[in-house]
Amino acid sequence: MWICILYNETDTSVDFRLCQDYGLILSVFSLIYLLVCFPLGLCYNALLVVVNLSNKVSMTMPDVYFVNMAIAGLVLNLVAPVELLSSTFTRWHAWDYNNEVYITLLILFNISSLVIMYSTTLLSLDYYIERALPRTYMSSVYNTKHVCGFIWGGAVLTSFSSLLFYVCNHISTKMVECSKMQNKEAADAIMMFIGYVVPAVAVLYAFVLILRIRKESTPLDQDSARLDPSIHRLLLASVCVQFVLWTPYYMTLLVYTVAGAPGYISNVHYLPTCYFIRCLSKLLAFSSSFVMPLMYRQMNKNFSNKLQRLLRRLHCRGQSCPHEHSTVQQVVT
């Protein structure tokens, strides 16, 4: 599996045994993710999206961002089984995909990671705006929906570098100039800067502003228009957890970018550990697709009420439900 093929099957060196041990550990982690985390993430992300979109009237600014991250989580849920069941992650692999499938998975993964990171970043900035100016329309649901649309558009455009790499991989024999664009390290550097450095700086800036506001006691602190305290805890926890889960992946991406391509035979001594850490960090990034909806489900007090209203509407479909109208009116008021 993975890079163990670089060794002779009869090799008894320490590197070969280390490669086999790493492969077994990664295989176990991958299977645990597929059996436990994957179905939970798929169900809870779909539930988060359906419940909130069926209760659009009661959606708040954080709900829009969490729906956006849940959609990106569903995309990650589509990518995860294809990668985790390949020879890259497990010994008992079901298939080996070609370059076309690899680039497609890379593009989908990059788009999802950008959407998640920028949704998290803008969530922290809107959280600051909500605390500083609770009655402003800058962090309204209407504006947030448009912002999320721009996030997806920007993520697709940013992932265009991977698409260029894919195209040039097919026409490089016809165009000498295009072969110069086959620089994976450059594409990784772009993703590292745009996908992690910029959001990290923005989140740190937002946290500095939030801490500054918390030190200042103003009459607005008792404003009823502010978000529920449980929502505040959810926002802070979600931002921190997202960066904890995605930081190892981007750090390994940075190491690979700075060190060049460590897949050369001359660097074979370092390959087992490098590949294991990189695969483990990507598995940790995949885990964000089920951690976030679980946090949202546990920490958002309104989610249970929304779910009950949805189930009530489904149960009362085609029947007369006198309490539904009054429930909706209470939510609006």
Side-chain angles (χ1 to χ4, degrees), residues 159-172:
S159 300
F160 191 66
S161 59
S162 299
L163 181 60
L164 286 178
F165 177 76
Y166 163 70
V167 173
C168 288
N169 191 42
H170 286 270
I171 64 175
S172 59

Side-chain angles (χ1 to χ4, degrees), residues 3 23 30 47 66 127 179 237 263:
I3 46 108
S30 300
L47 191 64
F66 278 101
Y127 170 78
S179 63

Side-chain angles (χ1 to χ4, degrees), residues 21-42:
D21 293 339
Y22 282 157
L24 180 60
I25 295 172
L26 194 59
S27 299
V28 173
F29 284 164
S30 300
L31 292 179
I32 292 176
Y33 179 90
L34 290 173
L35 292 176
V36 179
C37 304
F38 171 72
L40 284 176
L42 187 64

Side-chain angles (χ1 to χ4, degrees), residues 172-201:
S172 59
T173 57
K174 299 180 181 179
M175 295 178 59
V176 179
E177 295 81 2
C178 193
S179 63
K180 298 179 181 179
M181 301 176 64
Q182 297 188 37
N183 191 335
K184 189 177 184 300
E185 287 72 31
D188 290 343
I190 294 173
M191 281 299 302
M192 174 66 193
F193 179 76
I194 299 179
Y196 184 80
V197 175
V198 174
V201 172

Side-chain angles (χ1 to χ4, degrees), residues 127-144:
Y127 170 78
Y128 160 72
I129 295 175
E130 190 70 23
R131 287 186 62 87
L133 302 170
R135 297 185 183 277
T136 184
Y137 290 97
M138 294 178 64
S139 59
S140 64
V141 175
Y142 177 80
N143 288 340
T144 305

Side-chain angles (χ1 to χ4, degrees), residues 36-45 77 289-290 293-294:
V36 179
C37 304
F38 171 72
L40 284 176
L42 187 64
C43 294
Y44 273 97
N45 278 312
N77 284 328
S289 63
F290 83 92
L294 286 177

Side-chain angles (χ1 to χ4, degrees), residues 8 39 48 78 83 85 92 130 142 168 223-224 233 241 254 257 260-261 268-269 273 290 297 308 318 331:
N8 192 328
L48 193 156
L78 296 177
E83 289 209 23
L85 288 175
W92 312 286
E130 190 70 23
Y142 177 80
C168 288
D223 199 315
S224 60
R233 292 191 294 269
V241 169
L254 176 62
T257 302
V268 70
H269 177 74
T273 303
F290 83 92
R297 170 67 179 83
Q308 291 176 4
V331 174

